[in-house]
């Protein structure tokens, strides 16, 4: 059967609806968990997690958000297993990938990578995209409560604040770093030290 224009428009409308619903659910969850993280009422639940599988499954959800960019790239050792909170980490990745799909340039690319740093006690996760870079003087402020870029694309300024709190709950950090491959690279470092 030949797909008609109406069929194509219906598929696109359905896909857009699912993306909007996903964003709304994420926004509500962020507000609830930000309060719990601020009060130290949300505990990190660490489980042995196949990091590559987590990155791939999360990336696939966002891969079709922009049809005018390259396929999302995941770089991670398939055997990498770390004790992290997979649900909390996935939520962080969703926030960062939502931002990446909003800011990546036409024909550009988004990439996710993960590896153990040389100390063996730190999991690095990077989410990068091509497009306009964020000036150094504005980077730290993006992770504050209600902090957002003055570019007309930013939303309520809570997503990156949630990411910061979630990473800190892991004994880790998140920041924007320079990269030879991306205009913007969100660099997450989660501590694995002292885990049994």
């Amino acid at each position: 059967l030949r797909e008609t224009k109406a069929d194509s428009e219906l598929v696109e409308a359905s896909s857009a609806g699912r993306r909007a619903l996903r964003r709304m659910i994420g926004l509500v969850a962020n507000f609830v968990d930000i309060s719990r993280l601020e009060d130290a009422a949300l505990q990190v639940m660490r489980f042995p997690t196949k990091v590559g599988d987590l990155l791939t499954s999360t990336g696939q959800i966002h891969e079709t958000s922009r049809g005018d960019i390259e396929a999302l790239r995941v770089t991670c050792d398939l055997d990498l297993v770390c004790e992290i909170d997979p649900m909390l980490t996935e939520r962080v990745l969703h926030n960062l990938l939502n931002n990446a799909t909003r800011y990546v340039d036409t024909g550009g690319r988004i990439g996710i990578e993960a590896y153990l740093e040389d100390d063996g006690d730190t999991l690095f996760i990077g989410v990068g995209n091509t497009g306009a870079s964020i000036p150094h003087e504005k980077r730290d402020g993006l992770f504050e409560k209600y902090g957002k870029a003055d570019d007309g694309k930013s939303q309520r300024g809570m997503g990156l604040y949630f990411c910061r709190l979630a990473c800190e709950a892991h004994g880790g950090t998140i920041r924007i770093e320079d990269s030879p491959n991306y205009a913007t690279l969100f660099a997450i470092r989660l501590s694995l030290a002292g885990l049994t």
Side-chain angles (χ1 to χ4, degrees), residues 133-141 175-178:
S133 63
I134 299 172
H136 284 78
E137 66 272 14
K138 295 184 177 180
R139 293 181 179 183
D140 289 341
R175 55 186 303 225
I176 300 170
E177 297 185 354
D178 293 325

Side-chain angles (χ1 to χ4, degrees), residues 22-93:
R22 202 165 53 235
R23 282 195 297 271
M24 183 60 68
I25 291 170
L27 183 62
V28 172
N30 282 350
F31 276 110
V32 171
D33 285 341
I34 279 172
S35 178
R36 295 172 68 202
L37 285 164
E38 287 176 330
D39 295 337
L42 179 62
Q43 299 298 314
V44 171
M45 304 295 290
R46 294 181 183 264
F47 298 97
T49 303
K50 293 191 74 171
V51 178
D53 287 353
L54 179 64
L55 302 187
T56 299
S57 62
T58 308
Q60 285 172 342
I61 293 172
H62 296 268
E63 197 162 25
T64 58
S65 294
R66 287 276 303 268
D68 59 346
I69 62 172
E70 292 183 18
L72 191 148
R73 299 178 185 178
V74 175
T75 306
C76 181
D77 185 338
L78 294 177
D79 297 323
L80 179 59
V81 176
C82 295
E83 288 199 21
I84 58 175
D85 185 322
M87 294 183 67
L88 207 52
T89 305
E90 181 181 17
R91 293 262 310 285
V92 170
L93 291 172

Side-chain angles (χ1 to χ4, degrees), residues 90-174:
E90 181 181 17
R91 293 262 310 285
V92 170
L93 291 172
H94 279 307
N95 275 286
L96 296 179
L97 287 167
N98 274 331
N99 284 346
T101 55
R102 200 159 58 245
Y103 286 97
V104 66
D105 53 325
T106 299
R109 66 185 187 280
I110 297 171
I112 319 173
E113 61 178 326
Y115 55 84
L116 275 183
E117 293 200 322
D118 291 339
D119 62 7
D121 290 328
T122 305
L123 172 64
F124 175 89
I125 302 175
V127 178
N129 71 88
T130 58
S133 63
I134 299 172
H136 284 78
E137 66 272 14
K138 295 184 177 180
R139 293 181 179 183
D140 289 341
L142 294 179
F143 298 100
E144 299 300 322
K145 198 170 188 176
Y146 305 117
K148 57 183 183 177
D150 184 20
D151 55 12
K153 294 183 181 181
S154 295
Q155 297 178 337
R156 293 186 180 273
M158 298 296 276
L160 292 180
Y161 179 57
F162 165 80
C163 291
R164 192 193 100 196
L165 294 180
C167 291
E168 289 175 351
H170 273 87
T173 61
I174 181 171

